[in-house]
Amino acid sequence: MPHNAENITELHWLFDMLHHIDVGLVVLNTHYEVELWNGFMENHSGMSSSIAKKQSLFDLFPDLNRRWLGQKLDNVVALRTPIFISWEQRAYLFPFKSYRPITGLADNMFQNIALRPLANADGTVKHVCLVVYDVTDVATNKVALSSANRLLDQLSKTDALTELNNRSCLDKALVAVFNAFTADALVADKPVTDKLVDDDLVMNSNNTHSLVMADIDNFKKINDQYGHPVGDVVLQKVARILSSGSRKMDFVSRYGGEEFAILLPNTGTDGALFFCEKVRKKVAAAKIVTDKGDISITMSFGVADLRKTDKAVSSWLKRADEALYRAKKEGRNQSVVAD
């Protein structure tokens, strides 16, 4: 085969390969006009090479961010260095549909993009090649995995029946608040000259935090009389009342059984007592609808503020528990503040 014929054959193979390769290839000149538009781009855009050629990329895709992409293309030409755009930075450049099974998670194709300078024989750069990689499978798998991990993390912190924070999550929150309070207290006890170094901490050291232990009165009788499914309905109703009566910053949890714990950051005993009375009256006034008829209940509350004399979280919890015990002992359906 003559040498020229061999070259033509190789060139034909090369063009055939570029046309059928499973990545998008677009060559732009410095005016952002299309010089090459391969089969991948034709198939996914619905525009043939003859239509796209010599058209500005920004005319073909008016929604492209011209300033953002144009700056990157200019940098590729000026610096003669490639630039990469990950799907995690921008889900896609070209709004192509995702041709995955109907169970696919993505409507559009996730894309990684490479912008590469194309050097002429004399070393000048007048064109940029955009390489479009379809990474939909990788992206959707990663998104699904992240979503599953978030769900597992949420489930590990949540009480399944009431959907409040669970005991384990409460323990961590109490330790975090206790440690911050202890650190602030240490700064507040420093000499005045040292306090100037930690002004912010000194201001925070005046914060007071309260813990509320709450318990449904005579809950065992409800379970004994109506059965545990009705008891579960009561617990769920109480959980909703406690949540609706709290602020975003408050930490409402199920401590165990019919007992609940509410951490009230930056709240003194007066504020905590106001919260308890508001919720207590709301619970007492509520008619809990069950398949065994409407049920009325009451709750008792014990409040303890965090003090410097509390050497551990357990001593803070103990004082709140003792206040709750007094509320029970003195007749139930009331709120008591720890001494």
Side-chain angles (χ1 to χ4, degrees), residues 62-303:
D63 291 336
L64 286 179
N65 187 326
R66 187 185 183 103
R67 182 178 177 186
W68 171 79
L69 182 58
Q71 192 172 40
K72 288 188 179 299
L73 293 168
D74 293 345
N75 286 340
V76 170
V77 172
L79 302 175
R80 302 182 182 189
T81 185
I83 291 178
F84 301 95
I85 305 166
S86 163
W87 69 270
E88 288 167 306
Q89 299 171 266
R90 184 175 290 257
Y92 56 85
L93 182 62
F94 297 101
F96 297 159
K97 288 188 178 301
S98 172
Y99 293 103
R100 292 299 187 275
I102 56 174
T103 53
L105 299 174
D107 292 330
N108 291 310
M109 176 197 295
F110 285 86
Q111 298 160 5
N112 281 347
I113 306 290
L115 310 179
R116 297 182 183 280
L118 297 178
N120 294 327
D122 61 359
T124 60
V125 173
K126 301 292 184 185
H127 295 85
V128 176
C129 178
L130 280 78
V131 186
V132 182
Y133 300 93
D134 179 358
V135 291
T136 305
D137 288 338
V138 174
T140 52
N141 287 340
K142 188 169 183 179
V143 169
L145 181 61
S146 298
S147 177
N149 285 335
R150 282 197 299 273
L151 180 60
L152 286 174
D153 182 59
Q154 182 64 29
L155 289 174
S156 71
K157 299 175 181 175
T158 304
D159 175 67
L161 177 63
T162 62
E163 297 184 352
L164 296 177
N165 297 297
N166 62 20
R167 172 74 178 275
S168 171
C169 200
L170 169 72
D171 290 342
K172 290 176 184 174
L174 288 175
V175 169
V177 170
F178 181 83
N179 289 342
F181 179 82
T182 304
D184 290 351
L186 287 175
V187 173
D189 289 340
K190 285 183 180 179
V192 174
T193 50
D194 291 342
K195 288 180 185 177
L196 294 176
V197 179
D198 302 296
D199 264 353
D200 290 341
L201 290 177
V202 171
M203 289 175 66
N204 290 335
S205 69
N206 293 322
N207 289 348
T208 304
H209 313 293
S210 292
L211 175 63
V212 175
M213 299 301 293
D215 188 270
I216 300 173
D217 297 327
N218 300 314
F219 184 71
K220 186 173 182 303
K221 289 183 180 178
I222 297 173
N223 277 336
D224 291 344
Q225 184 176 349
Y226 301 104
H228 288 280
V230 171
D232 289 346
V233 172
V234 172
L235 290 171
Q236 290 169 331
K237 177 65 176 178
V238 168
R240 286 195 292 273
I241 293 175
L242 290 173
S243 294
S244 65
S246 63
R247 304 163 298 181
K248 275 188 177 179
M249 61 192 293
D250 298 336
F251 192 93
V252 184
S253 65
R254 185 184 180 196
Y255 195 69
E258 70 275 22
E259 196 167 4
F260 298 85
I262 305 101
L263 174 61
L264 302 172
N266 302 321
T267 306
T269 51
D270 288 345
L273 188 60
F274 177 81
F275 166 83
C276 292
E277 285 297 287
K278 181 180 68 174
V279 174
R280 183 185 66 78
K281 292 174 183 174
K282 197 169 181 179
V283 169
K287 295 292 182 187
I288 302 175
V289 179
T290 76
D291 57 5
K292 300 289 179 62
D294 293 352
I295 295 176
S296 296
I297 62 168
T298 60
M299 289 186 74
S300 301
F301 297 81
V303 180

